């Protein structure tokens, strides 16, 4: 059996990587590692629009590469032509859309349907394409993988995809996300970004659906309460780490107008290498997002031994398990109360850290890879 995988998103530069690009890279790596150990090992062919770095070629040495550059319409023109001329037994698309021409057996991961719930979070053209691509995948793919039960429910309710055509397969998390033991390294990394403890940490794209304006409003209430009840304690900061997304001015503008000054620190894009130290040094991850298909930062914080505040909606409770303080993301008072508890209740934070450490063990890329191969097997794709 020849399994083709669209690796184009996995090779995006680090500064362009979001959760879906990281998912693509990690699942391909895990599948390549697991494939030789299967009872009937498949051959794996990776399709890319750019030449992979030498380090990637060496790490993924058991893959057959098809590098097919094309400046425009790579998927629907160039990859389609490749599928027509040299089709694999099956094609897996972990982070994009199926080409117009494709083999008879196809598997696609759907990460979320956020564009349906927050249409203004995307430019019109991008929103149209996301809607078309998701509906196209749902209509023509042999089977769909959903990152969470929340996304599977959305696929059934809003796109009418039958339950039998969806499998929930949780992603894992990056093995590089571990608590940093050296406090000097943690302090030095924070200092490079102008961050002073204590601080609440958010990581992700800066866009309206991440609920950052309410988060900043909650911080203002925590600061006011702290000046009254804990005047001798250092006031906390809110660190917003991530690159600006569409309509980020509707986030950053109102936050700047709150007059919080240096209590809010916007770092811009943070390289993956710095995230463990910044997470480790945080009082908590503050992630009250209005909608998440999965929510990688929750697991990354738990892996770094950090308590988590997140939303009681979408996939966040499902991903966080017992290792998070859940709040109504629409209620600023509830967010503020949660932040205050994480700032002042060490027993609570210790419990959340312990439960988070137990929760994060549920998510392993090797498990994800095995489940993807199991789904392929159920689709009749045999080695």
């Amino acid at each position: 059996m020849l399994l083709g995988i669209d690796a184009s998103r996995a090779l995006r530069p680090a500064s362009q990587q979001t959760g879906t690009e990281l998912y693509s890279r990690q699942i391909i790596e895990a599948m390549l590692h697991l494939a030789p150990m299967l009872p009937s090992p498949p051959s794996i062919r990776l399709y890319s629009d750019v030449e992979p770095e030498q380090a990637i070629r060496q790490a993924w040495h058991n893959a057959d590469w098809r590098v097919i550059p094309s400046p425009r319409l790579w998927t629907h023109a160039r990859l389609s032509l490749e599928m027509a001329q040299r089709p694999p037994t099956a094609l897996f698309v972990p982070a994009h859309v199926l080409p117009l021409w494709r083999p008879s057996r196809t598997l696609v991961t759907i990460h979320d349907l956020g564009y349906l719930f927050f249409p203004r979070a995307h430019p019109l053209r991008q929103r149209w394409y996301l809607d078309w691509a998701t509906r196209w995948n749902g209509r023509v793919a042999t089977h769909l993988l959903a990152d969470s039960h929340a996304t599977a429910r959305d696929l059934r309710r809003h796109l009418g995809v039958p339950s039998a055509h969806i499998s929930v397969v949780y992603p894992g998390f990056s093995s590089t996300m571990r608590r940093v033991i050296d406090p000097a390294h943690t302090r030095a990394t924070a200092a490079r970004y102008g961050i002073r403890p204590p601080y609440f940490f958010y990581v992700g794209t800066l866009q309206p659906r991440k609920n950052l304006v309410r988060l900043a409003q909650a911080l203002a209430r925590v600061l006011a309460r702290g000046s009254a009840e804990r005047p001798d304690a250092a006031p906390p900061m809110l660190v917003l780490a991530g690159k600006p997304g569409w309509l980020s001015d509707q986030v950053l503008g109102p936050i700047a107008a709150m007059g919080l000054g240096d209590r809010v620190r916007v770092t811009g894009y943070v390289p993956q290498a710095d995230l463990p130290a910044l997470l480790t040094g945080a009082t908590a991850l503050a992630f009250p997002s209005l909608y998440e298909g999965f929510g990688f930062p929750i697991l990354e914080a738990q892996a770094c031994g950090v308590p988590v505040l997140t939303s009681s909606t979408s996939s966040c409770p499902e991903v966080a398990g017992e290792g998070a303080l859940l709040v109504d993301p629409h209620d600023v008072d509830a967010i503020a109360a949660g932040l205050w508890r994480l700032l002042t209740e060490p027993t609570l934070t210790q419990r959340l850290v312990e439960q988070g450490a137990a929760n994060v063990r549920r998510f392993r890329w090797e498990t994800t890879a095995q489940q993807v191969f199991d789904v392929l097997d159920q689709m009749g794709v045999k080695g």
Side-chain angles (χ1 to χ4, degrees), residues 98-383:
L98 281 169
L100 298 177
W101 189 276
R102 59 207 175 276
S104 60
R105 295 187 178 107
T106 54
L107 180 66
V108 183
T109 301
I110 303 295
H111 297 281
D112 67 67
L113 275 70
Y115 71 90
L116 285 179
F117 302 97
F118 297 93
R120 294 186 67 247
H122 305 276
L124 180 61
R125 184 175 179 180
Q126 185 185 73
R127 186 168 75 240
W128 176 86
Y129 184 77
L130 283 171
D131 187 57
W132 176 85
T134 307
R135 293 179 186 276
W136 168 258
N137 283 337
R139 186 168 67 251
V140 305
T142 307
H143 203 80
L144 299 179
L145 302 179
D147 280 352
S148 63
H149 288 282
T151 295
R153 286 194 300 270
D154 290 341
L155 286 167
R156 292 192 298 267
R157 291 174 182 174
H158 299 283
L159 298 190
V161 180
S163 296
H165 290 178
I166 308 169
S167 294
V168 175
V169 175
Y170 289 136
F173 72 96
S174 173
S175 60
T176 62
M177 285 294 169
R178 293 288 185 272
R179 185 169 184 83
V180 175
I181 303 302
D182 182 4
H185 176 62
T186 300
R187 289 193 299 269
T189 304
R192 280 196 284 110
Y193 289 92
I195 300 169
R196 299 184 303 277
Y199 61 91
F200 298 109
F201 192 73
Y202 162 85
V203 59
T205 305
L206 307 184
Q207 57 183 338
R209 77 175 172 96
K210 300 298 186 176
N211 208 26
L212 301 179
V213 173
R214 287 192 183 93
L215 178 58
Q217 291 170 340
L219 176 73
R221 299 183 190 189
V222 168
L223 291 171
R225 184 174 178 180
S227 65
E229 299 183 20
R230 304 170 74 229
D232 296 329
M237 297 180 69
L238 172 61
V239 177
L240 304 179
K243 60 184 180 181
W246 174 249
L247 299 180
S248 61
D249 57 322
Q250 296 185 11
V251 174
L252 299 177
I255 290 176
M258 292 179 197
L260 296 173
D262 63 358
R263 292 296 93 199
V264 176
R265 177 68 174 163
V266 181
T267 67
Y269 171 75
V270 173
Q272 283 290 112
D274 287 342
L275 279 179
L278 294 179
L279 278 167
T280 297
T283 298
L285 175 77
F287 197 71
S289 179
L290 294 171
Y291 179 90
E292 292 294 325
F294 186 74
F296 279 103
I298 295 171
L299 294 183
E300 292 171 345
Q302 290 177 338
C304 290
V306 179
V308 173
L309 178 142
T310 193
S311 303
S312 58
T313 58
S314 67
S315 67
C316 295
E318 180 183 345
V319 174
E322 299 296 320
L325 190 60
L326 303 179
V327 298
D328 179 352
H330 299 280
D331 187 339
V332 175
D333 285 335
I335 299 171
L339 294 177
W340 181 260
R341 293 189 67 192
L342 293 174
L343 189 65
T344 61
E345 297 183 24
T347 302
L348 170 65
T349 59
Q350 182 58 35
R351 175 174 63 81
L352 292 177
V353 167
E354 293 172 358
Q355 292 175 328
N359 177 68
V360 82
R361 287 195 289 270
R362 294 191 294 142
F363 303 91
R364 291 288 183 268
W365 284 113
E366 51 267 35
T367 303
T368 306
Q370 181 62 66
Q371 291 175 341
V372 173
F373 280 121
D374 290 343
V375 170
L376 287 165
D377 186 64
Q378 293 162 15
M379 289 166 51
V381 181
K382 305 288 185 179

Side-chain angles (χ1 to χ4, degrees), residues 59-109:
W60 298 356
H61 59 87
N62 56 326
D64 172 38
W65 286 89
R66 286 288 189 274
V67 180
I68 42 178
S70 179
R72 295 175 60 84
L73 298 174
W74 180 78
T75 299
H76 300 303
R78 193 62 187 85
L79 185 58
S80 282
L81 181 61
E82 177 72 18
M83 293 295 102
Q85 293 176 339
R86 289 174 289 273
T89 311
L91 177 66
F92 173 39
V93 178
H96 194 36
V97 63
L98 281 169
L100 298 177
W101 189 276
R102 59 207 175 276
S104 60
R105 295 187 178 107
T106 54
L107 180 66
V108 183
T109 301

Side-chain angles (χ1 to χ4, degrees), residues 7-30:
S8 60
R9 293 304 184 268
L11 301 185
R12 291 291 181 264
S15 61
Q16 297 179 18
Q17 289 180 3
T18 63
T20 53
E21 284 79 22
L22 291 172
Y23 169 93
S24 184
R25 177 171 291 212
Q26 294 286 345
I27 189 58
I28 290 172
E29 188 168 291

Side-chain angles (χ1 to χ4, degrees), residues 6-55:
D6 177 356
S8 60
R9 293 304 184 268
L11 301 185
R12 291 291 181 264
S15 61
Q16 297 179 18
Q17 289 180 3
T18 63
T20 53
E21 284 79 22
L22 291 172
Y23 169 93
S24 184
R25 177 171 291 212
Q26 294 286 345
I27 189 58
I28 290 172
E29 188 168 291
M31 291 177 72
L32 287 171
H33 177 74
L34 181 62
M37 295 178 273
L38 296 174
S40 299
S43 298
I44 295 180
R45 177 175 295 164
L46 301 180
Y47 303 97
S48 172
D49 55 343
V50 297
E51 183 68 31
E53 297 176 358
Q54 190 60 33

